[in-house]
């Protein structure tokens, strides 16, 4: 039991719409990272939040944005959805440390039609 | 930038066969190395890790040794079981990368009875 929960589990959106995905971190963890996992691929790093500030970003455009709240829960927001945004979005919580294990949620499956 | 390369799958083995999944990495700093596993229908979970050169991580009969000279972290198991069928991801995290975890593309393992 990882303690990381994501909502919703599945979502269908139309191209051009926006979406908000939510994540509740494991108790005691101060860092949250978001990943996009396309079918048959490894998780691609989107961004990381530490103490409510963005602490690193992968190769994703600004229409992907995030928030981390004082209770360490987090949101991922996407605007102007495109068909190739369809993927599994994973949230991972950890401590801000090089050898900290990342605990993953089950993910949100986003389908853009 | 940091990156992880692992052998392409799928890998198909008979029960009790020996398993090796190759993983090499590129990092600017001194990374910690991880193997994560994704069982069918489940989220990503840590299998094992090693935080410095020559460390050996082990769990559930799986082992991997951190080889700095060859920048490798190959996963091995002496005798696989059907229940080991899953997707395996090699990953790294380092201070220079802001502690974000970078994943390889994953290797799918099928074990036949």
């Amino acid at each position: 039991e990882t303690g990381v929960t994501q909502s919703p589990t599945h979502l269908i959106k139309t191209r051009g719409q926006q979406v908000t995905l939510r994540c509740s971190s494991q108790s005691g963890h101060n860092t949250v990272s978001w990943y996009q996992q396309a079918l048959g691929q490894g998780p691609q790093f989107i961004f990381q939040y530490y103490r409510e500030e963005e602490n690193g970003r992968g190769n994703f455009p600004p229409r992907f944005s995030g928030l981390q709240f004082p209770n360490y829960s987090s949101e991922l927001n996407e605007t102007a959805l495109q068909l190739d945004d369809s993927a599994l979005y994973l949230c991972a919580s950890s401590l801000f440390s090089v050898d900290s294990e990342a605990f993953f949620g089950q993910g949100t499956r986003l389908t853009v039609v | 930038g940091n990156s992880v390369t692992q052998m392409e799958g799928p890998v198909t083995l008979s029960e009790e066969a020996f398993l090796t999944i190759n993983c090499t990495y590129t990092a600017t700093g001194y990374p910690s190395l991880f193997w994560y596993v994704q069982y069918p229908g489940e989220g990503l979970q840590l299998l094992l890790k090693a935080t410095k050169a020559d460390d050996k991580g082990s769990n559930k009969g799986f082992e991997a040794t951190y080889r700095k000279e060859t920048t490798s972290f190959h996963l091995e198991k002496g005798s696989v079981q059907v229940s080991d069928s899953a997707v395996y991801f090699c990953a790294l995290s380092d201070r220079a990368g802001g502690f974000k975890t970078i994943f390889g593309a994953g290797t799918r393992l099928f074990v036949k009875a």
Side-chain angles (χ1 to χ4, degrees), chain B residues 15-45:
Chain B
E15 209 165 21
E16 299 183 4
F18 183 85
L19 168 71
T20 300
I21 300 178
N22 290 338
C23 170
T24 57
Y25 67 89
T26 302
T28 52
Y30 297 94
S32 291
L33 302 174
F34 307 84
W35 278 98
Y36 284 82
V37 59
Q38 192 170 35
Y39 296 104
E42 298 185 17
L44 276 164
Q45 56 188 274

Side-chain angles (χ1 to χ4, degrees), chain B residues 18-88:
Chain B
F18 183 85
L19 168 71
T20 300
I21 300 178
N22 290 338
C23 170
T24 57
Y25 67 89
T26 302
T28 52
Y30 297 94
S32 291
L33 302 174
F34 307 84
W35 278 98
Y36 284 82
V37 59
Q38 192 170 35
Y39 296 104
E42 298 185 17
L44 276 164
Q45 56 188 274
L46 181 69
L47 179 60
L48 54 83
K49 71 178 184 182
T51 59
K52 60 182 187 297
D54 300 324
D55 268 2
K56 178 185 284 189
S58 61
N59 186 26
K60 299 182 181 179
F62 289 89
E63 291 183 340
T65 301
Y66 189 139
R67 301 285 187 203
K68 189 169 183 291
E69 64 276 13
T70 54
T71 62
S72 65
F73 192 54
H74 305 321
L75 182 68
E76 297 182 336
K77 187 174 185 183
S79 176
V80 293
Q81 305 300 312
V82 172
S83 57
D84 294 326
S85 298
V87 183
Y88 292 82

Side-chain angles (χ1 to χ4, degrees), chain A residues 35 42 45 48 98-99 101-102 106, chain B residues 36 43 46 49 98 100-101 105:
Chain A
Y35 293 83
F45 175 75
Q48 180 185 82
V98 67
D99 59 355
E101 173 184 354
Q106 293 280 71
Chain B
Y36 284 82
L46 181 69
K49 71 178 184 182
K100 60 180 179 284
T101 304

Side-chain angles (χ1 to χ4, degrees), chain A residues 2 33 35 37 40-45 48 55-58 88 90 95-106, chain B residues 30-32 34 36 38 41-46 49 51 89 93-95 97-106:
Chain A
T2 67
S33 303
Y35 293 83
Q37 187 178 18
Q41 302 293 317
Q44 297 296 309
F45 175 75
Q48 180 185 82
N55 182 56
R57 188 175 187 93
L88 181 67
L90 297 168
L95 295 172
F96 194 67
S97 166
V98 67
D99 59 355
S100 176
E101 173 184 354
F103 289 83
F104 284 83
Q106 293 280 71
Chain B
Y30 297 94
S32 291
F34 307 84
Y36 284 82
Q38 192 170 35
E42 298 185 17
L44 276 164
Q45 56 188 274
L46 181 69
K49 71 178 184 182
T51 59
F89 295 93
S93 169
D94 80 343
R95 184 181 300 274
F99 302 139
K100 60 180 179 284
T101 304
I102 302 298
F103 289 84

